C-alpha cells in the first residue's frame, strides 16, 4: 500500500461507549452504545435536536466526562483544545485570558503574553488586547475563546456550537476564522457541534447525526446532503434535515 493510500492515524475511537448521569430509575442515559472513529485531518460535524447528546459527546472526547460503559481512546500525543458555546472569560484583560493557558503549559509569562498577542492578531483582536475581556461583545468573546485555543497550536480542535448565540455578521466572521484555521493545516482534526446545516456543509467533510444519545447516521457530507442514501438508510436523520431546511 502506498503512503498516500495508507489510512490516517486515529485521533478518537469509541466502542459501545455510554455516558450515564445518576443511577437507578432517575438515571439519565446521555449517550448509548456509541461507536465512533475519527482520523487525523477529518472535519466532523455532530448534528441533531437539542438534548440529543452532541455536547456530551464532545466533552467525552475531550476527556471532561468519564465513560460509564464501553471504551474510549484518544491520541494523547496530540494537543487538544476545546471552545465552548458560552466561553468562560476571567475578570482580566483579553491578552491575559489568552496567555494563561500558555503559562499553565510551562511558558514564561512574558513569552505567554507575546504568543497571546500573536493569536489575537490572527483573530483580529490585537487592538483589544488590554481591554477587559468581559466588556467585549458576544462575537468578540468567542474570538477570544478561539484565540485562547489556537494559541496552544492544537492538533485537535473541538467546538461546541461556536456561533449559535451570535448575530449573522459575527457568525460569518467567526466561521471564516474557523475555516482559515482548519485549512491552514490539513492534518489538524476539527470536530464541532452545530445546528446550522449551511455551516455544516461549508466546514465539515463528515456528518454524524445523533438522536436520544445514539448515533443514527455517520456519512460523508456529500452523501448526507446530496443523495438518497439518507432517506433510504437513515429516515430519522432525513426527517430532521428536511425539517431544519424548511
Amino acid at each position: 500500500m502506498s503512503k498516500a493510500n495508507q489510512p490516517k492515524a486515529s485521533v478518537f475511537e469509541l466502542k459501545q461507549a455510554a455516558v450515564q448521569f445518576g443511577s437507578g430509575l432517575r438515571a439519565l442515559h446521555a449517550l448509548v452504545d456509541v461507536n465512533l472513529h475519527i482520523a487525523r485531518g477529518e472535519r466532523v460535524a455532530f448534528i441533531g435536536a437539542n438534548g440529543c447528546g452532541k455536547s456530551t459527546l464532545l466533552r467525552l472526547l475531550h476527556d471532561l466526562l468519564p465513560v460509564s460503559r464501553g471504551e474510549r481512546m484518544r491520541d494523547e500525543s496530540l494537543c487538544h483544545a476545546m471552545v465552548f458555546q458560552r466561553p468562560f472569560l476571567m475578570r482580566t484583560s483579553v491578552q491575559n485570558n489568552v496567555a494563561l493557558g500558555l503559562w499553565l503549559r510551562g511558558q514564561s509569562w512574558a513569552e505567554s503574553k507575546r504568543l497571546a498577542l500573536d493569536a489575537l492578531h490572527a483573530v483580529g483582536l490585537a487592538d483589544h488586547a488590554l481591554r477587559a475581556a468581559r466588556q467585549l461583545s458576544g462575537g468578540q468573546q468567542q474570538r477570544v475563546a478561539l484565540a485562547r485555543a489556537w494559541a496552544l497550536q492544537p492538533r485537535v480542535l473541538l467546538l461546541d456550537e461556536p456561533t449559535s448565540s451570535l448575530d449573522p455578521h459575527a457568525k460569518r466572521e467567526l466561521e471564516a476564522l474557523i475555516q482559515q484555521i482548519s485549512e491552514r493545516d490539513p492534518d489538524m482534526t476539527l470536530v464541532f457541534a452545530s445546528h446550522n446545516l449551511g455551516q455544516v456543509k461549508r466546514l465539515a467533510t463528515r456528518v454524524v447525526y445523533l438522536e436520544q444519545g445514539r448515533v443514527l447516521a455517520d456519512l460523508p457530507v456529500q452523501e448526507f446532503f446530496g443523495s438518497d442514501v439518507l432517506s433510504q438508510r437513515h429516515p430519522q436523520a432525513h426527517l430532521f434535515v428536511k425539517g431544519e431546511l424548511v
Side-chain angles (χ1 to χ4, degrees):
M1 182 183 293
S2 69
K3 186 175 181 180
N5 293 326
Q6 289 177 355
K8 290 193 175 183
S10 297
V11 176
F12 299 111
E13 189 163 354
L14 301 177
K15 295 181 179 179
Q16 297 293 298
V19 172
Q20 176 179 316
F21 300 111
S23 60
L25 295 176
R26 294 188 177 183
L28 172 63
H29 300 279
L31 292 175
V32 182
D33 297 334
V34 173
N35 294 296
L36 184 67
H37 173 271
I38 297 177
R40 191 172 301 181
E42 285 199 281
R43 291 185 288 172
V44 182
F46 297 157
I47 69 169
N50 288 334
C52 70
K54 301 186 299 295
S55 295
T56 301
L57 183 52
L58 282 172
R59 284 165 170 75
L60 178 65
L61 295 178
H62 199 45
D63 205 17
L64 296 177
L65 291 173
V67 180
S68 302
R69 187 180 65 254
E71 299 178 26
R72 169 184 55 196
M73 183 286 296
R74 73 179 215 150
D75 188 341
E76 298 292 351
S77 69
L78 302 175
C79 177
H80 297 241
M82 184 167 175
V83 176
F84 297 89
Q85 183 175 353
R86 293 179 179 84
F88 176 79
L89 299 180
M90 298 175 298
R91 295 181 184 276
T92 185
S93 71
V94 169
Q95 187 176 16
N96 286 350
N97 266 274
V98 177
L100 181 63
L102 293 160
W103 179 73
L104 289 172
R105 200 172 65 172
Q107 301 275 8
S108 69
W109 184 242
E111 180 67 2
S112 296
K113 292 192 73 171
R114 184 188 70 78
L115 293 172
L117 192 59
D118 289 344
L120 289 170
H121 271 291
V123 301
L125 285 179
D127 291 343
H128 297 274
L130 300 181
R131 285 188 61 188
R134 292 189 178 183
Q135 293 179 359
L136 300 181
S137 68
Q140 290 172 326
Q141 289 189 19
Q142 280 290 38
R143 283 171 176 255
V144 174
L146 193 59
R148 183 166 57 188
W150 184 241
L152 300 173
Q153 292 296 296
R155 312 304 299 140
V156 183
L157 184 60
L158 300 100
L159 308 173
D160 189 4
E161 302 272 5
T163 64
S164 64
S165 60
L166 306 182
D167 61 64
H169 178 70
K171 283 184 180 181
R172 288 192 298 270
E173 287 191 336
L174 193 64
E175 185 182 314
L177 284 171
I178 295 168
Q179 184 86 38
Q180 290 171 18
I181 288 171
S182 62
E183 290 180 349
R184 189 177 304 165
D185 182 357
D187 280 335
M188 193 188 80
T189 305
L190 175 67
V191 186
F192 67 101
S194 181
H195 278 288
N196 186 326
L197 297 186
Q199 183 177 87
V200 170
K201 291 179 183 179
R202 291 185 291 272
L203 294 180
T205 57
R206 176 177 158 204
V207 183
V208 174
Y209 172 77
L210 293 102
E211 191 170 298
Q212 296 182 342
R214 297 179 183 272
V215 172
L216 298 189
D218 184 348
L219 293 167
V221 67
Q222 296 89 347
E223 290 186 27
F224 193 91
F225 291 109
S227 71
D228 295 329
V229 172
L230 197 66
S231 60
Q232 293 170 359
R233 290 168 43 193
H234 307 287
Q236 300 101 316
H238 174 69
L239 289 173
F240 172 82
V241 170
K242 186 177 179 181
E244 290 293 302
L245 291 176
V246 169

